[in-house]
Amino acid sequence: MRKTYVLGHRNPDTDSVCAPYSYAWLKTKLNPGELYIPGVLGSLNPQTEYIFSRLGIQAPDLIRDVYPKAEDVMLQDIQTVHENDPVGLATKLVDEHKIRTIPVVDDECKYSGLITVLGLAQYFMPKHYEARPHYQLRPENFIKVIPGFYLQKGMVSEVEIPLMVGAMAFDTFIRRLEQSMTSSHPEHPLLIVGNRPDIIDFSLRQDFEIIILTGMSREECAALDLKGFQGWIYVSNVDTAETIRLLRTSIPVKAIANRDHPSLKPGTGLSEIKKIMKNADHHGLAVLDKGRLLGLVTNSCLIDPPRHQVIMVDHNEASQSVEGIEDAEITEILDHHRLGSIRSNRPIYVYAHPLGSSCTIVYKHYLSAGITPPGDIAALMLSGILSDTIILRSPTTTPDDIAAARALAKIAELDLEEWGTDIFRHAASLTSSDPDKAVSGDFKIYTENGVRVGIFQMEVITLNDLNSVKTDFLEALERVRQKFALDWALLLITDIIGEESILLSTDYPKAEELIYHPLDRSSYHLPGVLSRKKQLLPEILHVLSK
């Protein structure tokens, strides 16, 4: 299922969080088979945190980027083997499905390694100079790969022992057996023997752990004296040579699984995946979440990775959007700001209207769809409108905003004025705010005539304590100017009760041309100015255009 992220702008204010969340709810209602994910591109301010907490709604997750990740490209319908399955099953899956990598899982479906074609080849073609191999064997796997039946089941479930064929004179067999049982490996080998009564009788009395009989009928097997023998006896229906060949395919896959091969997390980006894949010896990487296997990424997964779909809300410029937007597919734009330079590969739905709030635009879409939002979603949209229009007092407020706010207040069963006052009471105050966080919380960057200017805004319920913290805020403003390589940085501190603002400014020659009354070299008094977009921005652009 392709994801569609519904996102506001960077450094989110309340409107740019509530509007995407509410629109994602509507899109999901209209298209239940699609996945719409609301997200935020930065930390929530105190006001927004209070609103979501007060309404009992889980705030949207932080979306760092929309680049394709492992979880987006991985194969999910994949072949797996249990760690105790025989290697023969893995080779069969490789042949039938033309695959080169098979994840191994345990009883709890947790990942425990990879079976690869290279690993299988190294197992079936051992180096000739290696010492006599010991095989990790599970007798319960014999019947899965070797035609035959169990004459007796033993006690051990898994052993690691060498193989020995009893196809020689009895004296030679005894000598070879003694030679194989050294002090470092005193255990009996797994014995593969035909109808050799002397060797079989000796092996039963010596209590071998596993004996495989070949070339014997059921009657001959039934005549054996098994009294006191506690090991496994398996009767193969094929000859000795074929039994040995098939026996090697009975070992559990965990014996040759690669447990040290690198794995991926669901959020691992494609660039990192390519680096890992380039240095890996195999053709697949397991994707794990807390040890549980989610999927497999192969080279073919990276050829044409999917592009995430993004709905941009409360902004329309790539510079204000999520990282990776250039690699995403923009499907819709809902905004109430001036148009920027966003580009798309195909025609898209754009709804741009000079209203006071993006939440008003979202509510209009509810009306068009004939859907009444539930009370909590209505309260979210109401909060966005009241926040962006400063309880409908901002000059950006339109009759549509007023009508939407009243309708949503009725649905949410909230008093418009009381709710607005409540959410602004939980906005940041000057003395309690961290200046660095305050100036980076809600800002927009504009470029005019080659000049990069950042306009920050902070809404408070009083300006009385500004003088005690002004120096700290100006220093923070200068730091953020340098951080974002701005020519000019401005902080609009708005008193929503007194309906006035103070503008703080970093040093910039054209600041002297502003029409506002200067309080000192770095601050100005702006009576009646509440809106950054409609009142302050036009003046800044006018000064920069001279």
Side-chain angles (χ1 to χ4, degrees):
M1 183 184 297
R2 180 180 290 186
K3 300 175 183 175
T4 298
Y5 289 100
V6 189
L7 305 172
H9 54 71
R10 299 181 188 182
N11 308 296
D13 56 12
T14 295
D15 187 44
S16 69
V17 180
C18 295
Y21 190 99
S22 303
Y23 195 56
W25 190 96
L26 175 63
K27 296 292 288 187
T28 301
K29 184 75 172 179
L30 295 173
N31 306 289
E34 300 293 328
L35 182 60
Y36 294 92
I37 304 173
V40 295
L41 308 186
S43 300
L44 301 187
N45 63 39
Q47 182 189 77
T48 309
E49 285 185 338
Y50 169 73
I51 291 167
F52 275 85
S53 175
R54 179 73 171 77
L55 296 175
I57 301 175
Q58 178 67 41
D61 290 332
L62 175 67
I63 306 298
R64 299 188 182 277
D65 64 72
V66 290
Y67 293 114
K69 298 177 175 59
E71 61 186 346
D72 305 312
V73 301
M74 67 184 183
L75 303 173
Q76 294 178 274
D77 185 16
I78 57 176
Q79 300 295 324
T80 63
V81 288
H82 187 277
E83 59 183 5
N84 290 329
D85 282 338
V87 166
L89 174 60
T91 58
K92 183 179 180 182
L93 292 174
V94 167
D95 181 57
E96 290 179 351
H97 299 277
K98 310 304 178 188
I99 53 180
R100 293 180 287 183
T101 307
I102 306 175
V104 181
V105 297
D106 62 13
D107 290 334
E108 298 178 351
C109 293
K110 289 192 173 181
Y111 173 78
S112 61
L114 281 180
I115 289 292
T116 66
V117 171
L118 177 60
L120 290 170
Q122 290 173 336
Y123 168 67
F124 284 111
M125 293 186 293
K127 298 178 179 67
H128 69 278
Y129 52 80
E130 289 182 339
R132 185 175 186 177
H134 282 59
Y135 294 93
Q136 188 172 343
L137 297 168
R138 294 182 65 84
E140 64 181 26
N141 280 350
F142 295 165
I143 201 166
K144 299 176 183 179
V145 295
I146 305 173
F149 61 92
Y150 293 102
L151 184 64
Q152 176 174 301
K153 293 188 176 184
M155 301 294 292
V156 298
S157 60
E158 188 171 301
V159 292
E160 187 170 346
I161 53 177
L163 308 182
M164 184 174 183
V165 179
M168 60 199 77
F170 181 72
D171 291 343
T172 304
F173 168 75
I174 296 298
R175 186 170 64 254
R176 296 277 179 85
L177 179 63
E178 291 175 347
Q179 292 173 350
S180 70
M181 296 174 62
T182 63
S183 57
S184 58
H185 297 288
E187 68 277 356
H188 289 100
L190 179 150
L191 177 62
I192 305 167
V193 61
N195 193 0
R196 302 293 298 273
D198 51 353
I199 294 179
I200 294 174
D201 181 61
F202 173 82
S203 302
L204 292 174
R205 285 186 283 107
Q206 291 296 315
D207 208 21
F208 276 53
E209 288 183 313
I210 307 173
I211 300 174
I212 298 181
L213 304 175
T214 63
M216 295 182 64
S217 65
R218 286 183 178 271
E219 292 75 16
E220 291 171 326
C221 293
L224 296 174
D225 182 8
L226 304 181
K227 185 177 180 181
F229 182 71
Q230 298 182 359
W232 292 78
I233 300 180
Y234 187 77
V235 181
S236 171
N237 291 339
V238 296
D239 60 48
T240 300
E242 183 66 1
T243 298
I244 296 172
R245 185 184 73 83
L246 295 176
L247 179 62
R248 294 192 67 206
T249 71
S250 75
I251 72 164
V253 294
K254 65 184 177 184
I256 65 170
N258 188 325
R259 300 175 184 272
D260 299 322
H261 195 59
S263 60
L264 305 173
K265 296 180 179 179
T268 305
L270 292 197
S271 59
E272 182 65 21
I273 294 175
K274 291 176 181 177
K275 292 179 184 177
I276 297 173
M277 195 80 78
K278 182 179 179 180
N279 297 321
D281 295 330
H282 310 303
H283 298 280
L285 298 171
V287 182
L288 311 179
D289 182 20
K290 297 180 180 178
R292 189 169 296 276
L293 178 68
L294 299 182
L296 189 71
V297 174
T298 64
N299 286 323
S300 60
C301 297
L302 307 179
I303 295 174
D304 186 21
R307 302 175 68 197
H308 286 317
Q309 294 185 337
V310 174
I311 297 176
M312 300 171 69
V313 180
D314 200 28
H315 70 296
N316 64 81
E317 298 183 62
S319 62
Q320 297 178 5
S321 198
V322 65
E323 288 288 335
I325 191 69
E326 65 279 1
D327 289 339
E329 180 183 348
I330 301 170
T331 59
E332 298 183 40
I333 297 175
L334 276 65
D335 195 17
H336 65 134
H337 299 95
R338 70 171 188 167
L339 293 179
S341 55
I342 198 70
R343 299 179 63 182
S344 64
N345 295 326
R346 62 182 181 84
I348 63 173
Y349 178 78
V350 178
Y351 190 102
H353 202 124
L355 302 176
S357 166
S358 292
C359 281
T360 303
I361 294 175
V362 173
Y363 179 60
K364 283 179 171 290
H365 284 73
Y366 274 80
L367 294 177
S368 297
I371 294 177
T372 300
D376 55 351
I377 301 297
L380 274 186
M381 287 188 280
L382 174 62
S383 302
I385 294 172
L386 297 180
S387 175
D388 239 28
T389 63
I390 312 181
I391 318 179
L392 305 178
R393 295 187 178 96
S394 170
T396 60
T397 308
T398 69
D400 287 353
D401 296 305
I402 296 172
R406 288 173 176 170
L408 291 167
K410 184 175 181 180
I411 296 171
E413 298 182 351
L414 293 170
D415 181 273
L416 189 152
E417 195 69 31
E418 287 182 1
W419 180 249
T421 303
D422 187 26
I423 64 175
F424 272 103
R425 189 178 294 117
H426 287 83
S429 67
L430 288 168
T431 54
S432 65
S433 297
D434 180 316
D436 288 295
K437 290 183 179 180
V439 299
S440 61
D442 177 16
F443 76 93
K444 301 282 178 61
I445 296 176
Y446 305 92
T447 301
E448 188 74 14
N449 291 337
V451 178
R452 281 172 54 84
V453 56
I455 304 179
F456 305 73
Q457 184 168 22
M458 181 180 182
E459 292 160 346
V460 296
I461 57 176
T462 180
L463 294 170
N464 292 338
D465 45 8
L466 175 58
N467 287 334
S468 64
V469 295
K470 181 191 292 187
T471 300
D472 294 334
F473 274 83
L474 283 169
E475 291 174 352
L477 195 60
E478 175 60 25
R479 285 192 291 271
V480 81
R481 184 194 69 79
Q482 296 178 20
K483 177 180 178 181
F484 291 98
L486 302 174
D487 298 293
W488 192 11
L490 299 157
L491 171 61
L492 183 68
I493 305 175
T494 301
D495 179 353
I496 64 168
I497 303 300
E499 298 188 20
E500 61 177 338
S501 296
I502 297 295
L503 181 66
L504 301 184
S505 171
T506 58
D507 288 337
Y508 189 69
K510 285 187 175 289
E512 298 177 358
E513 300 179 25
L514 293 172
I515 63 173
Y516 307 121
H517 173 67
L519 298 176
D520 52 42
R521 183 178 175 183
S522 56
S523 62
Y524 302 83
H525 182 220
L526 284 63
V529 174
L530 304 178
S531 171
R532 166 179 52 188
K533 177 179 66 175
K534 194 165 184 178
Q535 294 173 292
L536 177 60
L537 179 59
E539 171 62 13
I540 300 301
L541 297 180
H542 173 69
V543 168
L544 293 177
S545 68
K546 291 182 180 180

